[in-house]
Every structure is written in C-alpha cells, then in structure tokens.
Amino acid sequence: SGFYAISVCETRLPGRGIMDLEDGWMFVHHNTDGDLQGAGVVLSPAAAEAWRAAGSRLDHDCDGRVLSISLQAAGRECPWHIVVCYAPTAKATEAVVDKFFEGLSGVLSKISRRSFVWLSGDLNSRVGRRETHEDHLEEVIGPFGVSGSRNHSGDRLLLFCLAEGFRITNGFFDHSASKSATWYHPRFRYHATLDLSLVRAEFCSNALDTVAM
C-alpha cells in the first residue's frame, strides 16, 4: 500500500484499545468514554513490529484528543514517536483549548527533545502562509499552501510551535490548492488546511513532502 502509519482523528471509539486488522495491520486508539473525539493510528505490519519492539508504549491526554506511541525501528539507536491530535474546533471555549494544549504539552514532556517526533492530525487551525514581514516565523510556517486569513486557533498553534520548536511542514512544499487543502467550507466556499503535519525544526530534513490526498 505504501503507507507506514496513518493518523486517525475523531475515532468516536470509547476507551483505549488495540485492534488487529487484516494482513498484520493494527489500529491503536484512545478516547474518553462516550465522547465524540478520539485519536488513533493505523500501523502497517512493519510499524506494528516497531511498536512492539519499543515495548508497545502508548501515552495519551485525559480528554481523548492526544495519542502518542513509540516505535523502535530496526537499525535505529533511539525510538521515534508518533503523536496524533484532534484539536477543539473554532467554536470551543478558551478553557477547552487551554486544556487541549496543556494535555499535548504534557504528553510531549515525556519524550526526549533529541528524539524524532511526528505530530499530525486535525489541528482545526488556519495558519495560512508566512508573510514577508514574519521573519520570526521562518522556522514554523512556510511560504506555500492555501492562502487566506489566519484565525485565532492558528495564532494559538503558532505560539505552541514557537515554544516547542515545531515546524508545520505543510507550507514548505509548493503544491496546488487541490494538494494542499484538507477542508472546504460549504457555506462561504473557501478552502483551508486544517489537517497538519509537524516535526521539530532540527528534524525537518526527515520530512520529504507533505501533500493532501
């Protein structure tokens, strides 16, 4: 299939679980009981084996919005980590957003800054492109991607990225709107990129491309 691991958001599956799928594929998920959010990751047979080699380690927040797993791939000295997020929507209260970022930071605090982290999912944030006057965001967002205004959630995500050293890889690769947008507003008829891929800046060479499918 060509896929190694696939982030899944809004799983709506209660609790924490592991599902064995066909042909060695596996689905690891977490959610709070009865809530509509949830985060998970589908692992290919190779990724599932790497997860088992790392001790089948799984971490999460308390709200079912953040899931983290560790992978120990053959030939690698240190494990690397996949963090899947399903962020609150733009309609959420500031308290709910605060709690999400606190939970995400808590999960990340348990991972060494020297380890590779791939953070992805539905961040529900419009960050837009980096403007010419935004030199302070040079390591965070790129000049490409879907144009449009940045919303409050986008500003909040950028502050998080600056604090944690993450780069939003979507905007560093020049693709058409059809390969960049992940959401379409049915009423106002505009495209946006809400599903984002993040890596820490020192590991950005590991991100060879980011494209919407």
Side-chain angles (χ1 to χ4, degrees), residues 13 23-24 32 46 51 55 58 71 81 83 89 133 136 147 152 154 156-157 187 191 208-209:
L13 294 172
D23 301 323
T32 51
W51 183 55
L58 184 156
L71 304 177
H81 310 272
V83 179
T89 68
H133 64 279
H136 64 295
S147 61
H152 176 67
R156 186 66 185 273
L157 179 61
R187 180 181 177 187
H191 290 87
L208 303 181
D209 198 2

Side-chain angles (χ1 to χ4, degrees), residues 84-100:
V84 184
C85 300
Y86 177 49
T89 68
K91 296 180 180 180
T93 65
E94 198 70 19
V96 170
V97 176
D98 287 343
K99 193 172 183 181
F100 164 73

Side-chain angles (χ1 to χ4, degrees), residues 96-212:
V96 170
V97 176
D98 287 343
K99 193 172 183 181
F100 164 73
F101 279 106
E102 288 170 3
L104 176 55
S105 295
V107 168
L108 290 171
S109 70
K110 302 173 187 176
I111 301 174
S112 170
R113 288 291 291 257
R114 293 176 294 178
S115 297
F116 174 74
V117 176
W118 175 47
L119 192 159
S120 65
D122 186 352
L123 276 299
N124 274 313
S125 302
R126 297 201 313 269
V127 297
R129 302 171 179 173
R130 186 182 72 245
E131 302 296 337
T132 55
H133 64 279
E134 294 180 316
D135 293 341
H136 64 295
L137 296 175
E138 185 176 7
E139 292 297 323
V140 179
I141 54 174
F144 305 116
V146 179
S147 61
S149 61
R150 188 176 301 155
N151 63 3
H152 176 67
S153 298
D155 286 329
R156 186 66 185 273
L157 179 61
L158 293 179
L159 290 175
F160 166 81
C161 290
L162 286 169
E164 293 284 349
F166 276 101
R167 168 179 288 193
I168 302 172
T169 63
N170 302 66
F172 286 90
F173 302 99
D174 189 7
H175 293 298
S176 64
S178 64
K179 296 292 186 179
S180 301
T182 64
W183 182 75
Y184 178 74
H185 197 295
R187 180 181 177 187
F188 297 109
R189 298 184 179 182
Y190 66 82
H191 290 87
T193 305
L194 304 183
D195 301 272
L196 302 172
S197 174
L198 287 69
V199 298
R200 287 204 162 101
E202 58 266 34
F203 293 102
C204 63
S205 61
N206 289 284
L208 303 181
D209 198 2
T210 304
V211 61

Side-chain angles (χ1 to χ4, degrees), residues 42-55:
V42 177
L43 301 174
S44 67
E49 181 60 31
W51 183 55
R52 286 189 289 266

